[in-house]
PDB file of all heavy atoms in Angstrom:
ATOM      1  N   PHE A  30      98.081  67.117 -20.796  1.00  0.00           N
ATOM      2  CA  PHE A  30      98.303  67.509 -19.409  1.00  0.00           C
ATOM      3  C   PHE A  30      97.104  68.253 -18.834  1.00  0.00           C
ATOM      4  O   PHE A  30      96.824  68.151 -17.649  1.00  0.00           O
ATOM      5  CB  PHE A  30      99.581  68.335 -19.285  1.00  0.00           C
ATOM      6  CG  PHE A  30     100.801  67.549 -19.668  1.00  0.00           C
ATOM      7  CD1 PHE A  30     101.542  67.891 -20.772  1.00  0.00           C
ATOM      8  CD2 PHE A  30     101.176  66.435 -18.932  1.00  0.00           C
ATOM      9  CE1 PHE A  30     102.648  67.156 -21.132  1.00  0.00           C
ATOM     10  CE2 PHE A  30     102.289  65.690 -19.287  1.00  0.00           C
ATOM     11  CZ  PHE A  30     103.021  66.057 -20.393  1.00  0.00           C
ATOM     12  N   ILE A  33      94.850  65.452 -17.889  1.00  0.00           N
ATOM     13  CA  ILE A  33      95.343  64.748 -16.701  1.00  0.00           C
ATOM     14  C   ILE A  33      95.029  65.546 -15.451  1.00  0.00           C
ATOM     15  O   ILE A  33      94.577  65.001 -14.437  1.00  0.00           O
ATOM     16  CB  ILE A  33      96.856  64.474 -16.836  1.00  0.00           C
ATOM     17  CG1 ILE A  33      97.100  63.425 -17.912  1.00  0.00           C
ATOM     18  CG2 ILE A  33      97.450  64.024 -15.500  1.00  0.00           C
ATOM     19  CD1 ILE A  33      98.550  63.269 -18.294  1.00  0.00           C
ATOM     20  N   MET A  34      95.256  66.842 -15.497  1.00  0.00           N
ATOM     21  CA  MET A  34      94.969  67.676 -14.333  1.00  0.00           C
ATOM     22  C   MET A  34      93.471  67.721 -14.051  1.00  0.00           C
ATOM     23  O   MET A  34      93.061  67.746 -12.890  1.00  0.00           O
ATOM     24  CB  MET A  34      95.514  69.091 -14.545  1.00  0.00           C
ATOM     25  CG  MET A  34      97.025  69.157 -14.515  1.00  0.00           C
ATOM     26  SD  MET A  34      97.760  68.379 -13.076  1.00  0.00           S
ATOM     27  CE  MET A  34      97.128  69.356 -11.760  1.00  0.00           C
ATOM     28  N   PHE A  71      96.212  60.054  -5.922  1.00  0.00           N
ATOM     29  CA  PHE A  71      97.621  60.323  -5.666  1.00  0.00           C
ATOM     30  C   PHE A  71      98.509  59.594  -6.665  1.00  0.00           C
ATOM     31  O   PHE A  71      99.448  60.171  -7.217  1.00  0.00           O
ATOM     32  CB  PHE A  71      97.985  59.905  -4.237  1.00  0.00           C
ATOM     33  CG  PHE A  71      99.442  60.011  -3.943  1.00  0.00           C
ATOM     34  CD1 PHE A  71     100.041  61.244  -3.757  1.00  0.00           C
ATOM     35  CD2 PHE A  71     100.226  58.868  -3.858  1.00  0.00           C
ATOM     36  CE1 PHE A  71     101.394  61.341  -3.497  1.00  0.00           C
ATOM     37  CE2 PHE A  71     101.570  58.953  -3.593  1.00  0.00           C
ATOM     38  CZ  PHE A  71     102.165  60.193  -3.410  1.00  0.00           C
ATOM     39  N   VAL A  72      98.211  58.336  -6.903  1.00  0.00           N
ATOM     40  CA  VAL A  72      99.000  57.568  -7.866  1.00  0.00           C
ATOM     41  C   VAL A  72      98.874  58.184  -9.263  1.00  0.00           C
ATOM     42  O   VAL A  72      99.857  58.274 -10.009  1.00  0.00           O
ATOM     43  CB  VAL A  72      98.563  56.087  -7.864  1.00  0.00           C
ATOM     44  CG1 VAL A  72      99.176  55.315  -9.015  1.00  0.00           C
ATOM     45  CG2 VAL A  72      98.934  55.442  -6.545  1.00  0.00           C
ATOM     46  N   GLY A  73      97.697  58.637  -9.612  1.00  0.00           N
ATOM     47  CA  GLY A  73      97.515  59.300 -10.895  1.00  0.00           C
ATOM     48  C   GLY A  73      98.307  60.589 -10.997  1.00  0.00           C
ATOM     49  O   GLY A  73      98.902  60.896 -12.039  1.00  0.00           O
ATOM     50  N   SER A  74      98.366  61.358  -9.919  1.00  0.00           N
ATOM     51  CA  SER A  74      99.135  62.602  -9.921  1.00  0.00           C
ATOM     52  C   SER A  74     100.628  62.330 -10.053  1.00  0.00           C
ATOM     53  O   SER A  74     101.333  63.025 -10.787  1.00  0.00           O
ATOM     54  CB  SER A  74      98.882  63.384  -8.639  1.00  0.00           C
ATOM     55  OG  SER A  74      97.543  63.768  -8.557  1.00  0.00           O
ATOM     56  N   VAL A  75     101.111  61.325  -9.344  1.00  0.00           N
ATOM     57  CA  VAL A  75     102.536  60.979  -9.430  1.00  0.00           C
ATOM     58  C   VAL A  75     102.877  60.488 -10.833  1.00  0.00           C
ATOM     59  O   VAL A  75     103.912  60.853 -11.404  1.00  0.00           O
ATOM     60  CB  VAL A  75     102.900  59.931  -8.366  1.00  0.00           C
ATOM     61  CG1 VAL A  75     104.288  59.373  -8.584  1.00  0.00           C
ATOM     62  CG2 VAL A  75     102.786  60.540  -6.978  1.00  0.00           C
ATOM     63  N   THR A  76     102.004  59.702 -11.408  1.00  0.00           N
ATOM     64  CA  THR A  76     102.226  59.221 -12.764  1.00  0.00           C
ATOM     65  C   THR A  76     102.241  60.374 -13.757  1.00  0.00           C
ATOM     66  O   THR A  76     103.078  60.410 -14.661  1.00  0.00           O
ATOM     67  CB  THR A  76     101.137  58.203 -13.149  1.00  0.00           C
ATOM     68  OG1 THR A  76     101.127  57.155 -12.177  1.00  0.00           O
ATOM     69  CG2 THR A  76     101.372  57.629 -14.524  1.00  0.00           C
ATOM     70  N   ALA A  77     101.332  61.332 -13.600  1.00  0.00           N
ATOM     71  CA  ALA A  77     101.300  62.491 -14.483  1.00  0.00           C
ATOM     72  C   ALA A  77     102.563  63.329 -14.325  1.00  0.00           C
ATOM     73  O   ALA A  77     103.111  63.840 -15.312  1.00  0.00           O
ATOM     74  CB  ALA A  77     100.066  63.340 -14.189  1.00  0.00           C
ATOM     75  N   ALA A  78     103.053  63.469 -13.099  1.00  0.00           N
ATOM     76  CA  ALA A  78     104.277  64.233 -12.877  1.00  0.00           C
ATOM     77  C   ALA A  78     105.477  63.547 -13.528  1.00  0.00           C
ATOM     78  O   ALA A  78     106.332  64.216 -14.128  1.00  0.00           O
ATOM     79  CB  ALA A  78     104.510  64.409 -11.383  1.00  0.00           C
ATOM     80  N   ARG A  79     105.527  62.234 -13.423  1.00  0.00           N
ATOM     81  CA  ARG A  79     106.627  61.505 -14.068  1.00  0.00           C
ATOM     82  C   ARG A  79     106.539  61.625 -15.585  1.00  0.00           C
ATOM     83  O   ARG A  79     107.555  61.774 -16.271  1.00  0.00           O
ATOM     84  CB  ARG A  79     106.606  60.045 -13.649  1.00  0.00           C
ATOM     85  CG  ARG A  79     106.990  59.874 -12.185  1.00  0.00           C
ATOM     86  CD  ARG A  79     107.166  58.452 -11.825  1.00  0.00           C
ATOM     87  NE  ARG A  79     108.377  57.956 -12.500  1.00  0.00           N
ATOM     88  CZ  ARG A  79     108.700  56.682 -12.560  1.00  0.00           C
ATOM     89  NH1 ARG A  79     107.912  55.780 -12.013  1.00  0.00           N
ATOM     90  NH2 ARG A  79     109.796  56.298 -13.159  1.00  0.00           N
ATOM     91  N   LEU A  80     105.329  61.563 -16.122  1.00  0.00           N
ATOM     92  CA  LEU A  80     105.144  61.720 -17.561  1.00  0.00           C
ATOM     93  C   LEU A  80     105.579  63.110 -18.006  1.00  0.00           C
ATOM     94  O   LEU A  80     106.247  63.262 -19.030  1.00  0.00           O
ATOM     95  CB  LEU A  80     103.681  61.477 -17.932  1.00  0.00           C
ATOM     96  CG  LEU A  80     103.304  61.658 -19.391  1.00  0.00           C
ATOM     97  CD1 LEU A  80     103.981  60.602 -20.243  1.00  0.00           C
ATOM     98  CD2 LEU A  80     101.809  61.582 -19.555  1.00  0.00           C
ATOM     99  N   ALA A  81     105.223  64.128 -17.227  1.00  0.00           N
ATOM    100  CA  ALA A  81     105.613  65.499 -17.567  1.00  0.00           C
ATOM    101  C   ALA A  81     107.127  65.665 -17.504  1.00  0.00           C
ATOM    102  O   ALA A  81     107.721  66.341 -18.341  1.00  0.00           O
ATOM    103  CB  ALA A  81     104.930  66.479 -16.626  1.00  0.00           C
ATOM    104  N   ALA A  82     107.762  65.043 -16.514  1.00  0.00           N
ATOM    105  CA  ALA A  82     109.215  65.139 -16.389  1.00  0.00           C
ATOM    106  C   ALA A  82     109.904  64.453 -17.576  1.00  0.00           C
ATOM    107  O   ALA A  82     110.875  64.980 -18.127  1.00  0.00           O
ATOM    108  CB  ALA A  82     109.681  64.538 -15.082  1.00  0.00           C
ATOM    109  N   GLU A  83     109.411  63.299 -17.963  1.00  0.00           N
ATOM    110  CA  GLU A  83     109.986  62.601 -19.106  1.00  0.00           C
ATOM    111  C   GLU A  83     109.763  63.387 -20.397  1.00  0.00           C
ATOM    112  O   GLU A  83     110.638  63.460 -21.248  1.00  0.00           O
ATOM    113  CB  GLU A  83     109.395  61.204 -19.238  1.00  0.00           C
ATOM    114  CG  GLU A  83     109.841  60.243 -18.161  1.00  0.00           C
ATOM    115  CD  GLU A  83     109.155  58.904 -18.255  1.00  0.00           C
ATOM    116  OE1 GLU A  83     108.446  58.656 -19.274  1.00  0.00           O
ATOM    117  OE2 GLU A  83     109.313  58.100 -17.332  1.00  0.00           O
ATOM    118  N   HIS A  84     108.602  63.997 -20.514  1.00  0.00           N
ATOM    119  CA  HIS A  84     108.290  64.794 -21.689  1.00  0.00           C
ATOM    120  C   HIS A  84     109.188  66.026 -21.767  1.00  0.00           C
ATOM    121  O   HIS A  84     109.623  66.412 -22.846  1.00  0.00           O
ATOM    122  CB  HIS A  84     106.815  65.199 -21.668  1.00  0.00           C
ATOM    123  CG  HIS A  84     106.376  65.930 -22.887  1.00  0.00           C
ATOM    124  ND1 HIS A  84     106.260  65.305 -24.127  1.00  0.00           N
ATOM    125  CD2 HIS A  84     106.020  67.223 -23.092  1.00  0.00           C
ATOM    126  CE1 HIS A  84     105.857  66.179 -25.007  1.00  0.00           C
ATOM    127  NE2 HIS A  84     105.701  67.358 -24.404  1.00  0.00           N
ATOM    128  N   ALA A  85     109.471  66.623 -20.602  1.00  0.00           N
ATOM    129  CA  ALA A  85     110.328  67.809 -20.571  1.00  0.00           C
ATOM    130  C   ALA A  85     111.771  67.449 -20.923  1.00  0.00           C
ATOM    131  O   ALA A  85     112.453  68.225 -21.593  1.00  0.00           O
ATOM    132  CB  ALA A  85     110.266  68.459 -19.201  1.00  0.00           C
TER     133      ALA A  85
END
Side-chain angles (χ1 to χ4, degrees):
F30 297 114
I33 290 170
M34 290 309 297
F71 174 74
V72 170
S74 297
V75 170
T76 304
R79 290 188 69 191
L80 178 66
E83 289 175 9
H84 184 70

